[in-house]
């Protein structure tokens, strides 16, 4: 039992000297067999013209009393910067397939006002357009993912948008961009042709979409240094036919195929389940449903492997996250929901899954960045708070561009309730760009802590040091009255004989550097 002795165990939330009951979970990290790089864009965000996702939550306009830079809120941008946002997808979603980019350039007071037919039927002022979006991503130090309009748009409209954004020539469109204040081309990292073509993007079959995609992509001629990675809009949920058909028919014309999967507690769109005040049965069903992402990644990768065995195409999960019943008293078209500790675990479980598929999954976007669905930040007029999901993202920041390290996880228990059963511990390890090995652990059990013994064969581990995110209640969340109710706390333990033993609290996310 030497294995379980610990010299120092400094965890602010637990008393030191805890005695393990039974065999601990053992994690052995293999540093000799590095895997693929975890593309930083796996930590991408999504900001759609939807509810207060942009207007109010991020954009207040340059004349607002709320402190801003070029119209973007300083408080929100500052917090997102601190979270290391690598990529932002814009302008939708369903909104993208009705968005006409020329409505969003030039003098803001002259831009046409439209109706946001997808989201609440509210007026869309077009105050945020191409230049404003690039102001935002450049302030964040992030890359841009622009989603083109295949629904009500055309090959010509998308081709002109690409030219407007990326041409360094003296063409009329490039000069129009200059007249509107931007001399050098914008950097468009990704460009998607349509969104959810199987649904709000046009109710198509994959075969019909593949033909349209081929046609449009032919005319999106960006100069080589500015050419975005092209994205074909793929399938969702259990449907792998889009990954199959598109990887077969488009493999020479696209860089990746998108996929959408939302975590719904009940698994039913009609009554999804509440964001707060839920029973433990909905805790486990939410986590069980989110873990299905792994099966989706496996099945879609397998479909793509048939036509693209060298994995040249990426599987881009450009919408994922929790989707609950909207908060009572809010506009149902605005998709506003509270964000709790449960959401932080959902985020962390998905990160661990994406890392495990990093050879194929090279970009994802959580839906959505501010005030919509599983948000990082919630605002109310001039106030702002960070959600538990925000903390999961910033805790996992060292994994951006890190190299996956395989790990062996043994003695893992199942956490079970009613008919559901899921593994108690989920883990991922990687060597980051700072040279350190990082380990992330999730304890899905909301009642029991889990004892974990960590080793790195061939290396004498000295300690693990990092942070833990947990709270007393499954639905613990931050409010404007108590904005720090859920936030990370220090977590560390020192090793005995080159091995380190830790206790992961119930319902917790832990990220540590293994020293
Ligand atoms: O993220 C909200 C919506 O969900 C997006 O607009 C759409 O693509 C998806 O159905």
């Amino acid at each position: 039992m030497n294995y379980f002795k610990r010299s120092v165990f400094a965890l602010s939330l637990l008393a030191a000297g805890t005695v393990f009951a039974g065999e601990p979970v053992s994690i052995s990290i293999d540093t000799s067999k590095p895997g693929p790089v975890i593309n930083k864009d796996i930590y991408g965000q999504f900001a759609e013209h939807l509810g207060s996702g942009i207007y109010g939550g991020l954009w207040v306009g340059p004349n607002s009393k709320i402190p801003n830079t070029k119209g973007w809120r300083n408080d929100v941008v500052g917090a997102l910067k601190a979270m290391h946002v690598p990529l932002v997808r814009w302008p939708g979603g369903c909104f993208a397939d009705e968005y006409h980019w020329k409505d969003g350039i030039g003098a803001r007071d002259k831009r046409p006002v439209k109706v946001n037919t997808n989201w609440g039927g509210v007026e869309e002022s077009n105050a945020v357009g191409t230049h404003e979006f690039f102001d935002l991503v450049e302030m964040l130090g992030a890359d841009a993912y622009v989603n083109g309009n295949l629904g009500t748009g055309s090959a010509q409209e998308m081709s002109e948008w690409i030219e407007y954004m990326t041409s360094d020539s003296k063409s009329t469109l490039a000069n129009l961009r200059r007249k509107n204040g931007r001399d050098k081309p914008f950097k468009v990292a990704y460009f998607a042709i349509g969104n959810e073509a199987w649904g709000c993007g046009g109710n198509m079959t994959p075969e019909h979409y593949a033909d349209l995609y081929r046609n449009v992509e032919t005319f999106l001629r960006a100069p080589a240094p500015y050419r975005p990675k092209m994205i074909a809009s793929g399938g969702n949920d259990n449907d792998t036919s889009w990954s199959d058909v598109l990887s077969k028919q488009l493999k020479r014309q696209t860089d990746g195929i998108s996929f959408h999967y939302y975590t719904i507690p009940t698994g039913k769109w009609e009554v999804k389940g509440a964001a707060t005040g839920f029973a433990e049965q909905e805790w486990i069903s939410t986590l069980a449903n989110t873990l299905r992402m792994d099966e989706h990644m496996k099945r879609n990768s397998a479909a793509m492997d048939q036509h693209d065995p060298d994995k040249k195409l990426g599987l881009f999960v450009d919408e994922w996250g929790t989707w609950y019943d909207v908060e009572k008293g809010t506009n149902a078209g605005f998709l506003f929901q509270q964000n709790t500790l449960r959401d932080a675990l959902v985020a962390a479980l998905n990160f661990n899954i994406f890392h495990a598929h990093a050879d194929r999954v090279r970009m994802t976007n959580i839906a959505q960045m501010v005030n919509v669905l599983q948000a990082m930040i919630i605002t109310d007029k001039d106030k702002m708070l960070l959600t538990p999901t925000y903390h999961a993202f910033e805790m996992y920041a060292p994994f951006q561009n890190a190299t996956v390290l395989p790990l062996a996880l043994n003695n893992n228990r199942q956490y079970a309730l009613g008919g559901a059963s899921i593994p108690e511990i989920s883990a991922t390890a990687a060597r980051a760009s700072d040279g350190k090995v990082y380990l992330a652990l999730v304890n899905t059990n909301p009642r029991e802590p889990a004892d974990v013994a960590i080793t790195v064969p061939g290396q004498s581990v000295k300690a693990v040091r990092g942070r833990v995110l947990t709270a007393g209640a499954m639905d613990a969340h931050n409010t404007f009255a108590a904005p720090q109710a859920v936030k990370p706390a220090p977590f560390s333990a020192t090793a005995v004989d080159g091995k380190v033993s830790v206790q992961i609290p119930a319902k917790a996310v832990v990220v540590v550097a293994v020293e």
Side-chain angles (χ1 to χ4, degrees):
M1 291 297 274
N2 273 348
Y3 195 65
F4 308 128
K5 270 196 229 148
R6 284 158 295 157
S7 54
V8 183
F9 184 57
L11 164 60
S12 63
L13 299 173
L14 289 175
T18 313
V19 177
F20 288 148
E23 285 289 290
V25 176
S26 84
I27 291 182
S28 168
I29 305 169
D30 187 350
T31 54
S32 70
K33 294 193 188 70
V37 167
I38 299 164
N39 193 311
K40 67 176 176 41
D41 294 342
I42 281 179
Y43 289 86
Q45 296 285 323
F46 175 28
E48 181 168 13
H49 290 236
L50 193 178
S52 51
I54 290 184
Y55 297 112
L58 266 161
W59 170 267
V60 286
N63 300 326
S64 171
K65 286 199 183 102
I66 298 178
N68 68 84
T69 304
K70 296 182 177 177
W72 296 102
R73 292 176 68 136
N74 292 345
D75 53 352
V76 177
V77 170
L80 292 170
K81 239 180 128 164
M83 200 187 85
H84 303 285
V85 173
L87 177 75
V88 185
R89 177 183 184 225
W90 170 87
C94 296
F95 180 84
D97 275 306
E98 299 188 31
Y99 178 67
H100 298 287
W101 69 272
K102 283 185 182 163
D103 293 344
I105 57 169
R108 274 193 289 274
D109 58 352
K110 304 250 171 2
R111 296 183 190 174
V113 175
K114 295 282 181 77
V115 176
N116 189 332
T117 50
N118 281 289
W119 305 118
V122 295
E123 284 165 10
E124 165 58 55
S125 68
N126 278 302
V128 170
T130 304
H131 291 256
E132 289 80 10
F133 170 62
F134 278 95
D135 282 342
L136 172 66
V137 290
E138 287 172 4
M139 280 191 274
L140 291 175
D143 277 331
Y145 168 6
V146 175
N147 206 120
N149 175 354
L150 182 68
T152 61
S154 63
Q156 181 177 359
E157 186 177 5
M158 275 184 266
S159 143
E160 288 180 351
W161 198 7
I162 292 279
E163 182 185 331
Y164 182 86
M165 291 187 286
T166 66
S167 176
D168 210 3
S169 75
K170 295 282 183 292
S171 77
T172 302
L173 278 172
N175 279 341
L176 180 60
R177 183 192 68 232
R178 292 189 184 93
K179 188 172 152 239
N180 288 331
R182 174 68 175 216
D183 180 23
K184 286 286 156 209
F186 294 116
K187 182 186 168 204
V188 186
Y190 300 88
F191 187 87
I193 299 177
N195 166 70
E196 294 194 350
W198 44 264
C200 67
N203 289 304
M204 301 174 213
T205 62
E207 290 80 8
H208 181 67
Y209 171 80
D211 281 345
L212 284 179
Y213 179 98
R214 267 203 299 264
N215 173 268
V216 170
E217 198 274 343
T218 309
F219 305 104
L220 303 187
R221 303 182 206 276
Y226 301 111
R227 183 190 178 275
K229 287 197 169 79
M230 294 294 172
I231 302 179
S233 178
N236 73 327
D237 295 356
N238 293 320
D239 184 359
T240 54
S241 67
W242 288 76
S243 294
D244 179 14
V245 171
L246 301 184
S247 60
K248 184 173 181 192
Q249 300 197 13
L250 307 178
K251 67 178 167 196
R252 277 178 204 84
Q253 270 177 298
T254 192
D255 294 281
I257 298 166
S258 72
F259 177 78
H260 292 179
Y261 176 60
Y262 283 98
T263 298
I264 299 172
T266 61
K268 298 193 182 88
W269 283 98
E270 308 74 46
V271 186
K272 301 177 192 72
T276 54
F278 48 82
E280 190 179 336
Q281 196 61 56
E282 279 198 8
W283 165 275
I284 193 168
S285 68
T286 303
L287 301 189
N289 285 343
T290 222
L291 287 168
R292 293 187 57 218
M293 181 67 92
D294 185 49
E295 163 195 330
H296 293 319
M297 297 301 92
K298 283 189 184 127
R299 293 178 68 230
N300 283 278
S301 297
M304 292 166 75
D305 283 347
Q306 301 172 91
H307 315 296
D308 175 40
D310 298 334
K311 300 191 193 296
K312 292 201 172 107
L313 300 176
L315 176 60
F316 299 147
V317 187
D318 63 7
E319 287 184 32
W320 66 273
T322 53
W323 195 323
Y324 305 127
D325 297 329
V326 291
E327 294 295 327
K328 287 198 175 73
T330 66
N331 186 325
F334 287 3
L335 308 187
F336 173 73
Q337 62 190 37
Q338 192 44 268
N339 191 296
T340 71
L341 179 65
R342 179 177 61 169
D343 294 82
L345 270 82
V346 163
L349 290 172
N350 279 284
F351 299 152
N352 295 359
I353 292 168
F354 296 147
H355 295 181
H357 295 278
D359 57 344
R360 182 68 89 175
V361 179
R362 296 173 216 141
M363 187 267 271
T364 88
N365 309 91
I366 190 168
Q368 298 193 8
M369 194 154 69
V370 179
N371 289 334
V372 175
L373 297 176
Q374 191 178 345
M376 312 302 110
I377 289 177
I378 292 176
T379 65
D380 180 18
K381 301 187 187 70
D382 62 341
K383 296 194 290 284
M384 164 198 100
L385 63 79
L386 309 178
T387 66
T389 300
Y390 175 98
H391 291 301
F393 269 79
E394 52 98 1
M395 286 169 72
Y396 270 73
F399 287 96
Q400 293 189 22
N401 287 338
T403 302
V404 171
L405 296 173
L407 57 78
L409 211 168
N410 290 309
N411 297 335
N412 203 0
R413 289 184 303 199
Q414 287 292 115
Y415 156 53
L417 186 73
S421 173
I422 58 175
E424 200 168 73
I425 291 291
S426 160
T428 187
R431 189 180 292 284
S433 38
D434 61 7
K436 292 185 190 163
V437 171
Y438 286 86
L439 174 66
L441 299 147
V442 182
N443 181 3
T444 61
N445 190 326
R447 282 177 271 120
E448 303 283 334
D451 299 324
V452 178
I454 302 158
T455 52
V456 181
Q459 199 177 307
S460 181
V461 175
K462 292 189 187 61
V464 294
R465 250 178 265 285
R467 287 181 300 160
V468 58
L469 186 69
T470 188
M474 292 181 292
D475 68 347
H477 56 280
N478 295 331
T479 61
F480 293 108
Q484 309 271 341
V486 186
K487 64 173 185 185
F491 182 99
S492 63
T494 47
V496 174
D497 300 333
K499 299 163 187 165
V500 67
S501 300
V502 294
Q503 187 168 71
I504 309 298
K507 48 177 158 27
V509 178
V510 166
V511 177
V512 287
V514 182
E515 298 170 359

